[in-house]
Amino acid sequence: MGPRVPQPVSVSGGSNGVEAHYDDIVAMARRFGHVATDSGGAALTLHGYLVDPGLYTSGLADPAGLATFEADLLDALDGYHGLSWIAVQCGAIDVELRAAAAAYLEADRAAIALQDHFAGLVGFTPAAAHALALLAASGNVPRALQTVLTDDPALVDAFMNAGPVMWDALTAPLLVDGHANVADAGVDTAGAPPRSLADVMGALARRNDGRPGEIDVRIITGADGTRRAIVDIPGTKTFDPTQVSDITGPVTNMRALVGVQTSYEKGVLQAMHTAGVRSSDEVMLVGHSEGGMVAVQAALNCAKNRQFRVTHVVTAGAPVGLTVAKLPGSVQLLAVENHNDIVPHLDGRTNPDKVNVTTATVTRGNGGISNDHGLDESYVPGAADLDASHDPSVTSFLSGARGFFDATSVRTHTYVITRGS
Amino acid sequence: MSVIFADPGELYAIADRIARHADAVRRNATTLAAAIATDRWRGLASEVFAAEAGSVLKDMWACARRLDDAADALRRHASRVQGVIDFVKRAWDDIEGLGATVVRDVGGFLVDDNGLLDALMADVLEQVPH
């Protein structure tokens, strides 16, 4: 489980990410634009008073008083830093801020693209040195190769960008995915309503220990009677393409990676329907690895067809960089990635920095590919690190999901999804 | 009166409208200041922006004061115009009053019992041959 004391986390995106700041800058620009319009209109109206005929005839009675007023008003309007100048300045700041925001966003996108292609090379030398030292000491070649990858998982991004992702995007829609068979596996009476992200991740880990395709639909009810649902979607159980009935196999992985709908996703939605999740219930989808990709795709499709109201998605060690940008603002996503886990890099893309997409990188595991990707070893303790984190994006996500953490009762329906041909 | 001689009520109304524009400028400055204070944008560019925005805010507060000054100047002007109108009215009333007195006194001198008119009539009647 690793050390119990919270480990540092690094976070991108979310309410404190670049896009959020970009939105802030644009909102500020809009405020200055509004003041520019307001001030310009006021200056025009006030100029009109200077040529009011009634005002001129009043000068017959008090010419000096009229002259003083006109001089004061002209000074306020057109004098040094007067109202007209303020209108122009506010308009200029509006334009400058919008240009700055656009430049920021463009620079950020360029940096991410650069990182996806070359970041792996930066860490390659120390990773290779570490692996060579290990090889010299133990002569264990597989262990040395594993060390290179887990020390520098960004190498996987560079490798995947060199062709496999593009190949997958072209071939995935052609892969035969059959259809989902959903079998009711009964009600699991163990477990309490979650109180933290670690509890949510713990429940996913528990379901992950079950049969291939086994998922949970947990109906939780708050003190005020509000119903919500948490759906646990475990990841890959087999890499054997001949195990066709295993819904978690390579076909689902290849399709979900590039955002093609899968039978696994259809099975999850069918299970939710069977469990009695209503279209008005708030839903949190929680997925590990392949399950995370399926969760994102399900959230995307639910946002389109409104079959279910998915408000939150939590992924653990899932390569969702190719699909997550399409999530609408109504869906908040927390992508938890272990620093040494290579699986989140299989998409070859850094997760986009969006207000509703928070990517939190935790530092857990022991340097082995399987261990660094494991729920019990890396992601459950990593979730506890996030519970203890003060990062604004993480706390914002968790406070937004509070309704899922203060339920008074839970009923866990379990289903097994298999693929029918 | 408003065309030939300005209506002070209208002048006061214009002054109030100018003061309301001053308040609007102040409100806008307050809103912008609050937004800038809670802004999370950090870095060199944000410092340049903060300096620029701070200068505009200072100008907005100053401009609101200058508009208030103009409104006050117009109110003083309206008050003086009102004074002139009151003076002219009083003078007119005085002239009217004086005219009435003159007419009454002259009339009384002419037509009262044993007045000038009676005496004249008596002289005329004496000279008429019976």
Side-chain angles (χ1 to χ4, degrees):
Chain A
M1 291 283 283
R4 290 181 71 85
V5 289
Q7 297 296 297
V9 297
S10 67
V11 179
S12 68
S15 66
N16 198 42
V18 169
E19 193 190 60
H21 286 216
Y22 163 82
D23 287 350
D24 282 353
I25 296 170
V26 172
M28 185 72 79
R30 209 174 289 128
R31 283 196 183 96
F32 272 90
H34 171 76
V35 172
T37 311
D38 225 29
S39 304
L44 211 63
T45 307
L46 290 168
H47 274 108
Y49 295 145
L50 289 170
V51 292
D52 187 278
L55 202 64
Y56 275 113
T57 52
S58 74
L60 295 170
D62 176 28
L66 178 64
T68 304
F69 159 68
E70 291 204 320
D72 281 358
L73 187 56
L74 265 175
D75 178 51
L77 296 180
D78 304 326
Y80 179 67
H81 291 193
L83 194 58
S84 305
W85 186 88
I86 287 168
V88 172
Q89 277 302 103
C90 286
I93 289 177
D94 176 9
V95 172
E96 281 171 21
L97 285 179
R98 283 174 200 271
Y104 263 76
L105 202 64
E106 207 43 57
D108 186 60
R109 281 180 185 151
I112 284 176
L114 206 65
Q115 183 178 331
D116 289 342
H117 284 91
F118 302 112
L121 303 176
V122 176
F124 178 70
T125 306
H130 183 198
L132 281 173
L134 197 80
L135 188 64
S138 67
N140 187 337
V141 175
R143 176 77 181 141
L145 286 173
Q146 183 171 262
T147 300
V148 172
L149 290 176
T150 55
D151 273 10
D152 185 17
L155 278 173
V156 180
D157 283 318
F159 170 74
M160 293 306 286
N161 276 317
V165 167
M166 192 179 288
W167 174 251
D168 186 25
L170 292 171
T171 56
L174 308 174
L175 299 170
V176 179
D177 194 20
H179 65 271
N181 292 321
V182 181
D184 192 334
V187 172
D188 184 349
T189 53
R195 292 283 172 266
S196 62
L197 188 65
D199 287 351
V200 167
M201 208 63 87
L204 175 65
R206 187 167 178 280
R207 192 50 52 215
N208 190 52
D209 292 337
R211 290 160 284 180
E214 193 171 298
I215 68 159
D216 277 337
V217 180
R218 293 189 283 154
I219 309 284
I220 58 172
T221 309
D224 61 353
T226 306
R227 277 165 44 111
R228 290 181 174 84
I230 300 177
V231 182
D232 300 318
I233 312 169
T236 309
K237 292 289 194 314
T238 180
F239 291 101
D240 181 354
T242 63
Q243 300 279 322
V244 177
S245 66
D246 187 340
I247 199 85
T248 69
V251 170
T252 299
N253 273 305
M254 292 179 74
R255 288 173 70 98
L257 184 73
V258 290
V260 179
Q261 194 175 35
T262 61
S263 291
Y264 194 3
E265 177 203 330
K266 289 178 187 167
V268 167
L269 297 176
Q270 192 182 323
M272 288 167 66
H273 178 74
T274 308
V277 179
R278 295 184 290 231
S279 60
S280 57
D281 296 336
E282 287 187 9
V283 175
M284 175 187 277
L285 302 177
V286 188
H288 175 233
S289 191
E290 175 190 68
M293 295 191 282
V294 170
V296 168
Q297 202 56 37
L300 263 167
N301 287 325
C302 285
K304 280 181 202 154
N305 62 28
R306 299 180 189 278
Q307 185 183 359
F308 295 109
R309 189 175 158 217
V310 179
T311 56
H312 293 81
V313 176
V314 176
T315 65
V320 292
L322 292 166
T323 54
V324 84
K326 294 174 199 156
L327 277 179
S330 58
V331 182
Q332 296 293 319
L333 178 130
L334 176 65
V336 187
E337 298 185 355
N338 186 23
H339 180 259
N340 298 108
D341 184 3
I342 63 165
V343 176
H345 296 270
L346 291 174
D347 51 13
R349 291 286 186 285
T350 303
N351 288 351
D353 185 319
K354 286 175 65 77
V355 180
N356 64 328
V357 177
T358 302
T359 302
T361 305
V362 298
T363 315
R364 292 285 179 170
N366 67 358
I369 287 177
S370 170
N371 191 293
D372 286 341
H373 185 56
L375 278 165
D376 288 323
E377 301 84 355
S378 296
Y379 286 101
V380 175
D385 294 341
L386 293 175
D387 283 322
S389 168
H390 297 292
D391 180 89
S393 295
V394 173
T395 53
S396 170
F397 177 89
L398 293 178
S399 64
R402 191 177 294 127
F404 292 96
F405 301 137
D406 59 10
T408 51
S409 69
V410 60
R411 189 172 170 82
T412 304
H413 303 264
T414 305
Y415 300 91
V416 177
I417 306 168
T418 51
R419 182 187 286 115
S421 49
Chain B
M1 187 66 91
S2 65
V3 176
I4 297 167
F5 211 79
D7 176 4
E10 181 62 23
L11 297 180
Y12 279 118
I14 293 175
D16 287 346
R17 270 176 253 153
I18 293 171
R20 278 201 291 276
H21 279 293
D23 286 341
V25 171
R26 256 188 291 271
R27 263 199 311 279
N28 278 334
T30 307
T31 308
L32 287 179
I36 292 164
T38 56
D39 182 34
R40 298 175 300 171
W41 183 22
R42 296 288 174 269
L44 193 61
S46 80
E47 285 166 22
V48 172
F49 158 71
E52 208 174 326
S55 156
V56 170
L57 288 185
K58 225 182 281 176
D59 291 339
M60 289 175 79
W61 289 107
C63 177
R65 277 197 301 276
R66 286 151 83 184
L67 286 172
D68 278 339
D69 288 346
D72 286 344
L74 185 56
R75 287 194 189 102
R76 283 196 301 276
H77 171 63
S79 167
R80 283 191 207 107
V81 170
Q82 184 66 60
V84 172
I85 290 171
D86 290 346
F87 173 77
V88 170
K89 270 188 175 170
R90 270 199 311 277
W92 181 253
D93 289 346
D94 287 350
I95 290 166
E96 272 186 343
L98 186 64
T101 307
V102 169
V103 168
R104 189 183 66 241
D105 289 353
V106 171
F109 177 69
L110 288 174
V111 299
D112 281 357
D113 288 345
N114 301 317
L116 187 60
L117 198 58
D118 284 350
L120 273 170
M121 286 302 289
D123 283 353
V124 171
L125 288 172
E126 270 177 22
Q127 292 178 29
V128 172
H130 294 282

